[in-house]
Amino acid sequence: MKRIATLILSLACLQAAAQLPPQNPAPAAAQNQPATQYAAPWFRYYSDGRAVVKRDSLYGFVDRSGAEIIPCRYNKAYTFNDGIAMVRQGYEVFAIDTLGNRLDLKVKIPQFYNRDFEYFVRWVCSRLPFVSDNEYRQLRSEVVNAVITIGKDGRIASCESVTPCDPRALGKVRGVAMNSPAWSPGQVGGAPVEIRYLLPVDFRHLQPLKCYPVDAQGRRIHRDIVYPLFQGQYASQFHSWFFRNLRYRSGEYQQAASGIVRVAFTIDSKGKLRDIEILRSHNDMCRLKTLETLKKSPKWTPGTIDGQPVDVRYETSFKFHYR
């Protein structure tokens, strides 16, 4: 049991990892098939001399020579450690050895908000807005490949880069990951274990906040700005406040529906939220609740140009979910 207490489950993330640059790229694969048969480019994170690859939406393993030693037949695959890897076929998760033989081990992978690792990757990326237009230009091409350690208590204990990157980009990823809510810890044989994942974050897929400075008449000013802050944090944190403060009177909840409300508003030079505009709404009740909630917003830290506060027009969306 001890030999798998630090089991590495580096997730071969379909949407994120498939975009990352290769590490230690392997030659042609087994059976004289070219390496281009696999999803490429692929970030090859080797452990126990094995790396996860994807072909035709299924996952398998290659060795350092590029030979496909375990066929691509799994819906999901996690890297080896101490001769053991976790894989998923359908909804079943189980362990295999280096030859692909199934092992009689009861395993449970950690979950974040009752979801798998792909959700955590998206969660981290959604909380990585840029501080300013200038920072966006400087970091927009960065790629961070970080190994995170999920402790037995479900908290992330470390986040370290395994490929070269800008320290500022790594700092952003580390800040979000280390302060994330606790996971449901992984288990082996019913006992919690420490687990490590490979967290790939491609800054090329991130976008700056959709906001820009405006003059007293609401006309756009074409200047670089430092973006407004909400309660000392990135503006994306405003969404958490919004849904915590969403209130329904008797009978109103039943009139709401799942969908998206797109809004625009101005954060003026004194930090007040004003000039609310509903750009798109799927439901009249959600439209009404959005207006009511935004009017209750506490003051922001205003955006600035050359250190001077300015009015900033900001656009965002609120996703309503109802069962």
Side-chain angles (χ1 to χ4, degrees):
M1 189 67 66
K2 291 183 178 180
R3 73 191 186 96
I4 52 178
T6 57
L7 186 63
I8 300 177
L9 299 180
S10 169
L11 179 64
C13 179
L14 174 61
Q15 294 181 334
Q19 302 297 326
L20 299 176
Q23 183 191 48
N24 301 327
Q31 301 175 350
N32 297 320
Q33 293 176 319
T36 52
Q37 65 174 314
Y38 303 117
W42 188 268
F43 180 76
R44 297 286 176 89
Y45 182 69
Y46 285 94
S47 182
D48 282 359
R50 309 285 192 267
V52 177
V53 291
K54 178 173 71 72
R55 175 164 47 83
D56 298 331
S57 76
L58 295 177
Y59 297 83
F61 295 85
V62 295
D63 62 17
R64 290 189 180 276
S65 71
E68 188 175 308
I69 52 177
I70 298 178
C72 293
R73 59 192 178 198
Y74 303 108
N75 300 106
K76 200 71 65 180
Y78 308 80
T79 59
F80 275 94
N81 188 63
D82 265 348
I84 297 174
M86 286 186 181
V87 295
R88 179 170 68 81
Q89 282 187 313
Y91 294 100
E92 187 179 17
V93 177
F94 53 92
I96 60 173
D97 63 17
T98 54
L99 298 178
N101 299 313
R102 182 166 177 165
L103 301 176
D104 186 21
L105 288 172
K106 184 179 180 181
V107 297
K108 181 180 180 181
I109 60 175
Q111 290 191 315
F112 185 72
Y113 284 127
N114 296 318
R115 303 188 189 184
D116 58 18
F117 195 67
E118 290 103 325
Y119 178 77
F120 181 70
V121 174
R122 296 193 298 270
W123 187 89
V124 170
C125 291
S126 71
R127 285 157 175 78
L128 286 172
F130 297 92
V131 172
S132 64
D133 292 332
N134 185 51
E135 185 182 64
Y136 173 66
R137 286 193 295 270
Q138 292 178 4
L139 299 182
R140 63 185 300 180
S141 62
E142 287 295 314
V143 176
V144 174
N145 299 306
V147 170
I148 63 172
T149 301
I150 305 171
K152 297 180 181 180
D153 60 355
R155 305 297 307 188
I156 295 181
S158 65
C159 177
E160 302 298 332
S161 177
V162 292
T163 56
C165 65
D166 190 307
R168 293 172 299 173
L170 175 60
K172 283 181 172 292
V173 173
R174 179 183 287 135
V176 175
M178 295 290 289
N179 290 291
S180 66
W183 293 58
S184 299
Q187 297 181 7
V188 175
V193 294
E194 183 179 89
I195 291 175
R196 285 184 289 169
Y197 271 121
L198 176 67
L199 172 62
V201 179
D202 192 337
F203 277 62
R204 293 171 296 183
H205 297 163
L206 305 182
Q207 298 294 328
L209 295 177
K210 192 170 184 180
C211 62
Y212 50 87
V214 294
D215 61 19
Q217 288 71 44
R219 295 173 299 196
R220 181 168 185 169
I221 301 173
H222 294 280
R223 295 281 303 279
D224 283 357
I225 62 169
V226 174
Y227 303 138
L229 295 176
F230 180 71
Q231 297 182 338
Q233 302 184 61
Y234 293 132
S236 61
Q237 301 303 308
F238 182 58
H239 288 71
S240 298
W241 175 91
F242 177 88
F243 287 107
R244 286 198 309 270
N245 288 273
L246 196 61
R247 299 290 184 269
Y248 293 93
R249 302 177 188 88
S250 178
E252 289 184 337
Y253 183 86
Q254 290 75 13
Q255 300 177 47
S258 297
I260 297 175
V261 177
R262 183 75 181 172
V263 301
F265 51 80
T266 297
I267 306 299
D268 67 22
S269 59
K270 296 183 179 179
K272 183 179 179 180
L273 190 155
R274 59 175 174 80
D275 300 337
I276 303 169
E277 180 184 0
I278 303 296
L279 304 177
R280 184 177 69 253
S281 178
H282 67 289
N283 175 270
D284 287 341
M285 181 52 64
C286 292
R287 175 191 180 94
L288 173 63
K289 293 292 112 178
T290 298
L291 286 170
E292 288 183 355
T293 306
L294 290 177
K295 289 177 181 178
K296 296 186 293 185
S297 171
K299 282 192 174 182
W300 294 50
T301 301
T304 61
I305 295 179
D306 297 331
Q308 298 300 312
V310 294
D311 291 356
V312 174
R313 193 66 176 167
Y314 180 39
E315 292 185 20
T316 190
S317 296
F318 297 102
K319 296 181 180 180
F320 289 79
H321 297 281
Y322 299 95
R323 294 182 178 179

